[in-house]
Amino acid sequence: MSTVDGADAFRTSGRVVIVGASLAGLRAAETLRTEGFTGRLTLIGEEPYEPYDRPPLSKQVLLGRTRDGSTTLPRDCALDAEWRLGVRAVGLDLTTGRVRLAGGEEIPFDRLLIATGTRARPWPNAAEAALDGVCLLRTRDDTTRLQQALAARPRRVLVVGAGFTGSEVASVCRKLGLPVTVTERSATPLAGALGGRIGAVAAQMQREHGVDLRCGVTVTSLEGDADGHVRRAHLDDGTTVDVDVAVIALGSIRNTEWLRGSGLAAGPWGVACDAGCRAFDMFGIVTDDVFAAGDVARCPHPLFGSEFLALEHWSNAIEQAKVAAHNMVTGQGRRRPDLHVPTFWSYQFGVGIKSVGVPPAGEDVVVVQGSTDERRFVALYGRRGRTVAAVAFNQGKWLDHYEEQIEMAAPFPPRTLNVDQPSSRTAVPAEFPDPAVPTEGPRVVLTGHSPTERQWTYVPAPR
Ligand SMILES: Cc1cc2nc3c(=O)[nH]c(=O)nc-3n(C[C@H](O)[C@H](O)[C@H](O)COP(=O)(O)OP(=O)(O)OC[C@H]3O[C@@H](n4cnc5c(N)ncnc54)[C@H](O)[C@@H]3O)c2cc1C
């Protein structure tokens, strides 16, 4: 595929194409330039905007505290790149090294970064999804629509799905003084991300702030009025809720459809990569010139038994982008793996929630500092005698310490004494939902071999 031989020649006259012009795409482009890549650089992005930050969308922006335009990501260096914004990549030909754009144009590359992220999972019934007042929250445009819907002072907002996004939207609604009902199929909010034990604390927080939280239920249909505006939700427990806005927060779908037929190991669980972000082909053979980073990537992590992790976290997008870009411009022997310990944060109901490590990798959980009643605590997650994650509610300052513990595979339950230690430190089951039961979905997916890869049929190369 490559038209440029040798790492040095590639550095000066190679062509890199990045598909997905958001956080991972931008940070990878910057790293390429700071690591001395002076060749041609093209960023292709479906959205018409320059890369912007998503975390504020469900927090300050929705609350009206930040204008959405101000979340445009700062640039660390002059990029000297060709920007193709507002255009979608629809195909990839690995044999000729070309990305096909909607409209038919083909963009050649020597090295490609796939950074197409995820999109919000829509409401499954298309007619109901099209009702006025039914909103998603992933993009800047989604946020503008939802802001307008909330500004109309709806009688009640329904949030379907109590993961991080749904919970943050509910928190904003309460801050705006709007009545809100949250429905969640699991037993608690945040169950997929933090387990039912810690999720129970999140449930108390929601109820204390006046959220009508209904767990263990499913919304079966949304009903509109004669003008096509959502007015009622039907639940599987036989109840109905009268609403004027329904926010669908059912997790996300990885943007891999454009790679169908390319021969890459790409499917609903993401683009499978090695620890250095190099993409695998459908036979599990690593490619030399195709990399993936961010929400769309699925990489083995040495700290977690080299299990494939697909992480939808801001810091992960940045770290993988740097690793992928470094490995793009670096020869054999100087490439590096992505070893960062995953982190995540959320802000809801006046509480800063931060995690380090991979909570869903844990089987048991123990509160090691503070008090869950006071919403000020640190809990550790463990698997097979090792500490694999920590979550802090309003206690983020301790997480650097626990990050080290996770990196050192510290024993679980912990043997050391802690500041502000509760009287009892008994580890209990973390209560993550059965992965077979669909829920809002965690922001971390632990996967083995992807069954989707079996869809590929082997076509022997012509002799
Ligand atoms: C509302 C919200 C709140 C969040 N809050 C937090 C938080 O508090 N903490 C945290 O750690 N993380 C948070 N996140 C997650 C974080 O924003 C993501 O992990 C991060 O945006 C991932 O960056 P990315 O570049 O990999 O993917 P994305 O940001 O999803 O970007 C992918 C880009 O690729 C484009 N694209 C897709 N397909 C194509 C195609 N075929 N052709 C061209 N372009 C394409 C998309 O339009 C998009 O612009 C939040 C996310 C959202 C949506």
Side-chain angles (χ1 to χ4, degrees):
M1 173 204 311
S2 182
T3 54
V4 177
D5 292 327
D8 288 340
F10 170 74
R11 260 172 196 274
T12 51
S13 53
R15 177 160 190 175
V16 172
V17 170
I18 297 176
V19 184
S22 183
L23 181 62
L26 177 65
R27 295 296 176 241
E30 288 170 346
T31 307
L32 285 167
R33 289 301 188 214
T34 52
E35 295 223 2
F37 175 71
T38 54
R40 209 163 152 190
L41 179 57
T42 306
L43 284 107
I44 300 165
E46 188 177 11
E47 293 183 76
Y49 309 112
E50 284 193 25
Y52 61 88
D53 214 13
R54 295 184 203 274
L57 300 183
S58 53
K59 306 174 185 71
Q60 302 93 316
V61 176
L62 200 55
L63 206 47
R65 293 212 177 133
T66 316
R67 284 182 306 103
D68 57 358
S70 68
T71 78
T72 298
L73 285 162
R75 296 208 192 147
D76 293 345
C77 65
L79 271 185
D80 185 21
E82 185 189 341
W83 292 85
R84 303 294 303 267
L85 298 179
V87 58
R88 184 174 166 71
V90 294
L92 168 65
D93 187 337
L94 284 182
T95 48
T96 59
R98 284 167 185 271
V99 171
R100 195 170 67 258
L101 303 184
E105 190 185 348
E106 295 198 341
I107 312 284
F109 62 84
D110 296 306
R111 285 188 195 152
L112 170 72
L113 178 70
I114 298 167
T116 43
T118 60
R119 62 184 184 275
R121 185 181 299 282
W123 182 244
N125 179 311
E128 294 173 12
L131 291 169
D132 280 346
V134 177
C135 301
L136 298 170
L137 185 54
R138 177 81 202 171
T139 65
R140 179 182 281 183
D141 291 344
D142 292 339
T143 314
T144 306
R145 270 191 292 273
L146 181 54
Q147 254 180 335
Q148 286 166 354
L150 299 184
R153 307 297 302 173
R155 284 172 304 161
R156 178 166 289 277
V157 178
L158 170 70
V159 178
V160 186
F164 281 114
T165 304
S167 299
E168 288 180 357
V169 171
S171 169
V172 167
C173 288
R174 293 309 299 137
K175 268 229 149 124
L176 295 173
L178 296 170
V180 58
T181 296
V182 174
T183 61
E184 166 58 49
R185 208 190 292 228
S186 294
T188 72
L190 308 183
L194 300 179
R197 288 284 174 162
I198 301 300
V201 182
Q204 285 166 4
M205 277 162 41
Q206 296 214 4
R207 293 195 168 111
E208 281 164 11
H209 282 80
V211 174
D212 168 31
L213 174 66
R214 305 189 189 189
C215 293
V217 293
T218 304
V219 175
T220 52
S221 63
L222 298 172
E223 186 184 325
D225 62 15
D227 296 327
H229 195 110
V230 68
R231 294 298 177 204
R232 181 167 295 158
H234 295 261
L235 277 56
D236 66 351
D237 61 2
T239 59
T240 57
V241 188
D242 289 346
V243 298
D244 294 328
V245 173
V247 183
I248 310 304
L250 292 172
S252 52
I253 299 175
R254 295 190 166 77
N255 291 319
T256 55
E257 292 83 352
W258 69 283
L259 298 167
R260 198 167 287 150
S262 67
L264 287 182
W269 287 350
V271 180
C273 303
D274 72 4
C277 298
R278 290 186 302 170
F280 286 119
D281 74 9
M282 62 185 178
F283 305 118
I285 300 170
V286 77
T287 55
D288 285 328
D289 301 318
V290 182
F291 296 73
D295 283 11
V296 78
R298 178 175 156 254
C299 303
H301 200 303
L303 268 181
F304 302 93
S306 288
E307 194 159 5
F308 279 85
L309 295 183
L311 296 153
E312 294 175 41
H313 295 169
W314 190 87
S315 57
N316 175 66
I318 294 175
E319 294 301 327
Q320 285 186 341
K322 289 180 184 168
V323 167
H326 170 83
N327 291 341
M328 269 185 177
V329 292
T330 307
Q332 186 75 23
R334 283 178 296 134
R335 294 197 180 122
R336 62 184 173 89
D338 172 26
L339 293 175
H340 89 282
V341 182
T343 61
F344 179 82
W345 82 93
S346 171
Y347 188 78
Q348 47 189 276
F349 304 103
V351 174
I353 301 176
K354 288 188 177 176
S355 88
V356 59
V358 179
E363 291 158 350
D364 296 316
V365 63
V366 58
V367 175
V368 289
Q369 287 183 251
S371 147
T372 53
D373 288 344
E374 293 172 20
R375 322 282 179 252
R376 184 188 53 75
F377 67 91
V378 180
L380 300 187
Y381 294 80
R383 174 159 74 169
R384 295 185 201 143
R386 269 190 52 199
T387 302
V388 294
V391 65
F393 278 44
N394 275 345
Q395 289 286 285
K397 64 184 176 186
W398 298 109
L399 288 190
D400 285 351
H401 165 71
Y402 291 109
E403 183 173 334
E404 278 175 26
Q405 302 278 302
I406 295 162
E407 277 178 320
M408 292 185 318
F412 181 92
R415 297 186 193 135
T416 50
L417 296 177
N418 300 94
V419 176
D420 195 16
Q421 185 170 291
S423 49
S424 158
R425 286 205 320 180
T426 310
V428 292
E431 295 178 2
F432 284 99
D434 177 350
V437 178
T439 63
E440 183 273 344
R443 281 240 170 91
V444 178
V445 183
L446 302 165
T447 59
H449 173 77
S450 167
T452 59
E453 282 150 32
R454 289 184 205 147
Q455 290 169 2
W456 300 109
T457 47
Y458 175 66
V459 182
R463 287 176 188 270

